[in-house]
Amino acid sequence: MLTTPTYELTKSEKSFISQHLLFAFIALAIGSLFGPLQAFEFSGVDFYPLLEPVIQSYYQGLTLHGVLNALIFTTFFITGFLTLTTIYGLKRPLKYPLLNRIGFWTMVVGLLMAAVPILLNEASVLYTFYPPLQANVFFYFGLTLVVVGSWIEGYGFIFTWREWRKENPGVRTPLMTFGGLITMVMWQLATLGIAVEILTMLIPWALGLIDGADPQLARTYFWFTGHPLVYFWLLPAYVSWYAMLPKQAGGKLFSDSLARIAFWLFLLLSVPLGFHHQFVDPGVPAGWKYIHAILTYAVFFPSMITAFTVIASLERAGRKRGGKGWLGWIPKLPWNDPSVSAQLLAGILFFFGGIGGITNASYNINLVIHNTAWVSGHFHLTVASASALSFMGISYWLVPYLRGRRLWSRKWAQIQTWLWFVGMLIFSNAMHVLGLLGAPRRTPLGEAPYVPDEWSGHLLRTSIGGAILFVSAYMFVFNIARTWWSKKLLAGPDEEVEIPVAESVHPAQETPAKLDWWTPWLIGTVALILVAYGPQLIEQIGNIDLSSPGFRP
Amino acid sequence: MSEVPGDGSVQTSLHIDPYERNWMRLTVVLLVVFATAVTIAGFALGFQVPSPEERVDPNTVAIGDGPFGEPGLRAYPDGSYDLYVVAQMFSFAPNEVTISAGSEVTFYVTSVDVQHGFKIQNTNVNMQIVPGQVSKLTMTFDEPGTYDFICTEYCGSAHAQMYGTLTVEK
Amino acid sequence: MAVSRRKSKDMEEITSTEEEFHPKGTVLVLAIFVLVLILLWATVYLILLSRGMTTV
């Protein structure tokens, strides 16, 4: 009844996943060029004039940084990685490989279509693209195709799982597959917001079919997707932390049941809380903002479960490796494995991301930090640490596995993960402090007239942190590139890269069957979205006012 | 997807370690404490966030007879003020305002072009300015001094230049 | 059948090493985390209170 104990991916499966990663890493390499330019500008060192005419403005650079790193790198990496967790977890090929290929190439076409206007400075609207700032219509078409492509890949995973379920009745869905499926199903629901925003408002408006946009309604649509987007970034990292990292650390998952409960709660709670990004918006009633604040508190709960389960798994592993005392298990963990150190350090940074997140979500406390540098500092601890650094760690075994080549340098990889950690601590701490002092986000502070002397030390720290992060990002890119095209093929069985699959202390089959049952959770998720968003959507759509003409930045 | 998968012959149970169970309880307590503190500040003490005030037409709001046609301070006999501000690329009108210490000011801000931010430094006045909407908050200024109000939302190339000054005199 | 065989194998491991495992270190790490969380959250909360009321 249990399927074969091992499953070797076919050459074409490996190359399909590799294609995802290639686009992801190219996006990361280009997008990361612009991060330090922002950070240096804060100290008054502005490289942008030197980049003309290729890059024409600070905001063109910032748009490239946000779109390529936060949207493209993540989406391509995630769809590639979750292809692996689907087929390797289920130990069967994709049901419709062609469907997934169509999804992937749809994303590629979308990426190229959006890239052209961005590179021509025709879409310097940042990755939130709030109207009435208007981009070239191909920017919106491109983003739409990227999202639609990711949907199609998600359908491919779901069809594959349904086929597996028919072949394996009564078997618990392997955790890595389960987490990936939840990520993609959540993503389907969550992206309805920007789909409606782009298709019903922004595209007709950019084409001149309607005279104006409704900027407030657009914000509501955007943040319907915008917060769950964070969980789309994060959950694949959780998949690795729960279903792979315990094995890499030499142990087992502490609780399969609680891991599944956490994933279900993320499905249930990721979407109906977007108003916590709109606490200071004029067009959303305070009462609804308060309700979404409380729902955001609720989604903190599964992350706290995750913290315990993952750390306990690591503690168990560290004790098996000879760790003694309260904390003696920590140094016993295999820190010399860059894949492990990346994920451990990502987890530590994410502690601070969580603290900032619960602060942001706290209704009126948001007044202190809204639209300040605090926010950018915060999401560099989530998407750029918990997710990005974990993805780098995953890449350190995934790329050798897919390409059949030895990692070019473990030493570089190890140093790279620590540099990211140190650089991010400096950068994000400075950004948080700047935010508390009132520094706005998305602003070239080097040229702002209202910057007091008090900020200068922190602005400098931002630059230093940014420089370290840049070095780290390029050490990663270089290492991966050298590995990718290396001539050193893996030789023999002792060099073989194994996909880490963590067993659970209590086998997954002992987890209650109800935790593998979608119907009640899907009904609950849709119901909660309707309750939390329905009345305001009816109100705001009912009062739609398409009177804002577009402005090209 | 519609049925509970069969259990086979395996005994199932929800294994929750007692330590982890207590951690989950602690998490709930912590969140309840935070929520209580936030609720008290918001609804008992009056630290509130903006709520819908008025819809306007961004194309005409600043040229009609309405209060935004002539933005600026309106003083009332009880010593309080209304301040109407029009935000546009890349300035606030007015951008210099003087009031006396101890006075209560109600800010009404709207935009005639793109989205902006309106944040008064060292206070909790922090609003998204959305075309078609009026953002409103009220605050009392007891401390004399100079308060910059800055644009905190990207509004175009010269966004960093967009600010004004509120002076509170003794 | 495969299921029950796998189960019994793991049960052996559980009885030999699992029963004594109490995640005390995890509790300590998370206790430190919660203290830092409360401290930093409360700091920003107090900044909010110190900056004065905003009413609607």
Side-chain angles (χ1 to χ4, degrees):
Chain A
M1 197 165 89
L2 278 177
T3 35
T4 45
T6 53
Y7 176 84
E8 180 63 20
L9 267 69
T10 65
K11 223 172 151 191
S12 87
E13 286 172 333
K14 284 183 179 177
S15 100
F16 182 52
I17 296 169
S18 301
Q19 288 162 16
H20 288 80
L21 299 192
L22 194 60
F23 278 93
F25 297 143
I26 291 170
L28 179 72
I30 300 173
S32 299
L33 290 173
F34 297 95
L37 297 191
Q38 262 72 241
F40 290 151
E41 200 281 340
F42 280 16
S43 299
V45 182
D46 188 2
F47 286 109
Y48 276 105
L50 304 177
L51 298 179
E52 285 176 55
V54 184
I55 300 299
Q56 293 163 47
S57 76
Y58 179 91
Y59 287 109
Q60 190 182 4
L62 189 52
T63 302
L64 280 163
H65 182 61
V67 171
L68 290 179
N69 285 13
L71 300 180
I72 301 302
F73 164 63
T74 52
T75 306
F76 278 82
F77 187 91
I78 289 165
T79 45
F81 178 55
L82 297 186
T83 303
L84 179 105
T85 63
T86 302
I87 57 189
Y88 194 75
L90 299 179
K91 311 215 177 294
R92 75 177 312 291
L94 289 169
K95 168 83 171 148
Y96 304 113
L98 180 65
L99 184 70
N100 283 66
R101 278 179 200 282
I102 291 170
F104 172 70
W105 288 104
T106 306
M107 296 202 312
V108 172
V109 170
L111 165 62
L112 299 176
M113 201 179 276
V116 173
I118 296 176
L119 291 170
L120 293 173
N121 200 22
E122 289 284 309
S124 296
V125 292
L126 308 185
Y127 77 119
T128 46
F129 51 88
Y130 293 142
L133 288 178
Q134 195 178 61
N136 181 295
V137 72
F138 284 99
F139 174 78
Y140 305 119
F141 280 133
L143 287 187
T144 305
L145 290 181
V146 171
V147 171
V148 169
S150 70
W151 286 353
I152 295 172
E153 292 229 52
Y155 303 147
F157 301 156
I158 293 166
F159 287 132
T160 306
W161 176 80
R162 289 182 66 119
E163 190 65 14
W164 173 89
R165 170 53 78 214
K166 267 187 246 158
E167 297 159 1
N168 297 274
V171 179
R172 294 302 164 271
T173 308
L175 185 61
M176 65 164 75
T177 310
F178 174 84
L181 284 172
I182 293 219
T183 307
M184 294 314 273
V185 171
M186 182 276 288
W187 183 237
Q188 304 282 331
L189 293 168
T191 41
L192 292 174
I194 59 166
V196 172
E197 180 194 5
I198 292 181
L199 296 178
T200 69
M201 196 189 293
L202 300 186
I203 287 180
W205 174 66
L207 287 173
L209 301 175
I210 53 175
D211 292 335
D214 184 331
Q216 181 63 70
L217 178 59
R219 287 177 64 82
T220 299
Y221 286 149
F222 182 86
W223 288 113
F224 184 100
T225 302
H227 194 75
L229 174 62
V230 177
Y231 295 107
F232 177 65
W233 296 330
L234 206 52
L235 292 187
Y238 281 14
V239 167
S240 177
W241 295 358
Y242 273 124
M244 296 175 166
L245 182 60
K247 166 80 172 178
Q248 292 176 288
K252 289 185 175 182
L253 173 63
F254 186 63
S255 174
D256 180 85
S257 303
L258 281 176
R260 285 171 205 258
I261 288 175
F263 276 113
W264 284 125
L265 289 173
F266 281 116
L267 175 68
L268 186 70
L269 293 166
S270 286
V271 181
L273 36 71
F275 287 150
H276 80 241
H277 287 258
Q278 298 176 267
F279 282 146
V280 307
D281 274 25
V284 180
W288 283 105
K289 293 172 177 173
Y290 181 75
I291 290 168
H292 281 220
I294 299 302
L295 284 163
T296 315
Y297 274 16
V299 81
F300 198 62
F301 185 69
S303 273
M304 293 289 255
I305 296 180
T306 302
F308 194 103
T309 308
V310 171
I311 297 175
S313 308
L314 293 169
E315 180 180 354
R316 191 178 164 282
R319 293 203 183 285
K320 272 180 77 180
R321 301 168 75 94
K324 299 268 179 277
W326 284 88
L327 298 175
W329 50 275
I330 296 175
K332 291 285 181 193
L333 292 170
W335 288 91
N336 60 350
D337 177 348
S339 178
V340 173
S341 71
Q343 296 181 71
L344 296 178
L345 296 172
I348 295 170
L349 290 172
F350 192 49
F351 272 139
F352 296 101
I355 294 172
I358 197 79
T359 311
N360 298 337
S362 297
Y363 192 60
N364 36 25
I365 294 183
N366 190 266
L367 291 167
V368 177
I369 49 78
H370 194 91
N371 278 348
T372 70
W374 165 294
V375 178
S376 330
H378 164 68
F379 66 66
H380 277 82
L381 293 172
T382 55
V383 63
S385 295
S387 302
L389 185 52
S390 293
F391 294 170
M392 290 172 180
I394 293 165
S395 302
Y396 283 138
W397 63 259
L398 181 55
V399 170
Y401 171 80
L402 294 172
R403 300 287 297 166
R405 286 159 166 87
R406 217 181 296 161
L407 184 66
W408 176 69
S409 171
R410 267 174 83 97
K411 192 91 213 153
W412 268 55
Q414 245 172 294
I415 295 168
Q416 183 270 323
T417 64
W418 279 98
L419 281 180
W420 195 270
F421 178 71
V422 172
M424 192 58 83
L425 278 181
I426 298 170
F427 171 83
S428 68
N429 177 266
M431 293 287 276
H432 279 85
V433 174
L434 280 167
L436 290 176
L437 295 173
R441 67 186 287 197
R442 313 182 138 181
T443 305
L445 293 169
E447 62 171 66
Y450 47 73
V451 174
D453 291 341
E454 187 190 9
W455 297 2
S456 56
H458 305 299
L459 292 168
L460 180 65
R461 287 199 297 136
T462 309
S463 311
I464 295 168
I468 298 172
L469 288 167
F470 176 71
V471 171
S472 175
Y474 265 79
M475 283 180 78
F476 171 77
V477 169
F478 187 74
N479 205 346
I480 291 296
R482 290 297 297 261
T483 306
W484 196 280
W485 290 289
S486 163
K487 293 203 174 62
K488 283 183 197 152
L489 299 183
L490 293 175
D494 29 306
E495 280 205 346
E496 197 114 323
V497 179
E498 208 183 311
I499 297 179
V501 183
E503 284 180 59
S504 173
V505 171
H506 299 281
Q509 204 56 31
E510 293 177 27
T511 297
K514 275 185 183 156
L515 290 180
D516 209 2
W517 186 30
W518 285 76
T519 312
W521 292 100
L522 283 174
I523 292 171
T525 302
V526 172
L528 194 57
I529 292 172
L530 289 177
V531 169
Y533 260 116
Q536 265 303 296
L537 282 176
I538 290 169
E539 167 100 17
Q540 291 189 29
I541 296 170
N543 293 316
I544 189 169
D545 181 7
L546 298 168
S547 60
S548 277
F551 289 83
R552 285 298 174 94
Chain B
M1 266 200 223
S2 57
E3 278 174 51
V4 186
D7 284 353
S9 58
V10 178
Q11 191 76 38
T12 67
S13 62
L14 194 61
H15 298 288
I16 302 182
D17 178 86
Y19 286 84
E20 185 152 17
R21 195 179 291 275
N22 284 330
W23 168 249
M24 289 156 72
R25 288 193 182 112
L26 175 74
T27 300
V28 172
V29 170
L30 191 69
L31 291 172
V32 169
V33 169
F34 282 4
T36 308
V38 163
T39 307
I40 289 171
F43 298 93
L45 301 179
F47 289 78
Q48 267 300 351
V49 299
S51 220
E53 171 65 17
E54 195 191 345
R55 301 286 296 262
V56 292
D57 182 342
N59 303 296
T60 58
V61 65
I63 50 176
D65 295 332
F68 291 102
E70 217 173 304
L73 268 184
R74 313 273 193 279
Y76 292 101
D78 63 355
S80 67
Y81 299 96
D82 284 346
L83 177 62
Y84 287 86
V85 179
V86 172
Q88 58 190 313
M89 300 157 144
F90 297 97
S91 62
F92 292 109
N95 65 358
E96 281 186 23
V97 181
T98 304
I99 58 164
S100 47
S103 46
E104 183 188 86
V105 187
T106 301
F107 298 89
Y108 295 87
V109 191
T110 195
S111 166
V112 294
D113 43 43
V114 299
Q115 295 187 35
H116 297 279
F118 183 85
K119 172 169 166 42
I120 306 180
Q121 300 293 44
N122 302 313
T123 74
N124 291 325
V125 178
N126 188 346
M127 302 188 287
Q128 189 81 21
I129 311 306
V130 181
Q133 302 272 348
V134 175
S135 300
K136 177 193 166 198
L137 274 180
T138 301
M139 150 131 201
T140 302
F141 289 82
D142 290 323
E143 287 291 311
T146 310
Y147 297 80
D148 288 339
F149 47 91
I150 64 172
C151 178
T152 50
E153 182 60 82
Y154 166 55
C155 56
S157 57
H159 156 62
Q161 311 298 325
M162 185 170 168
Y163 83 115
T165 314
L166 173 77
T167 306
V168 180
E169 291 182 334
K170 269 181 206 156
Chain C
M1 324 318 101
V3 174
S4 56
R5 197 167 67 238
R6 210 177 86 146
K7 188 184 159 212
S8 62
K9 188 178 129 236
D10 279 1
M11 288 305 282
E12 270 165 34
E13 207 228 352
I14 289 164
T15 43
S16 59
T17 63
E18 290 317 311
E19 274 172 2
E20 311 109 56
F21 176 62
H22 299 298
K24 287 194 300 190
T26 302
V27 170
L28 179 61
V29 169
L30 289 174
I32 296 167
F33 166 64
V34 164
L35 285 178
V36 175
L37 166 65
I38 292 171
L39 195 76
L40 293 179
W41 187 89
T43 305
V44 189
Y45 184 70
L46 291 175
I47 291 175
L48 172 83
L49 297 186
S50 74
R51 285 183 179 176
M53 282 183 278
T54 47
T55 52
V56 279

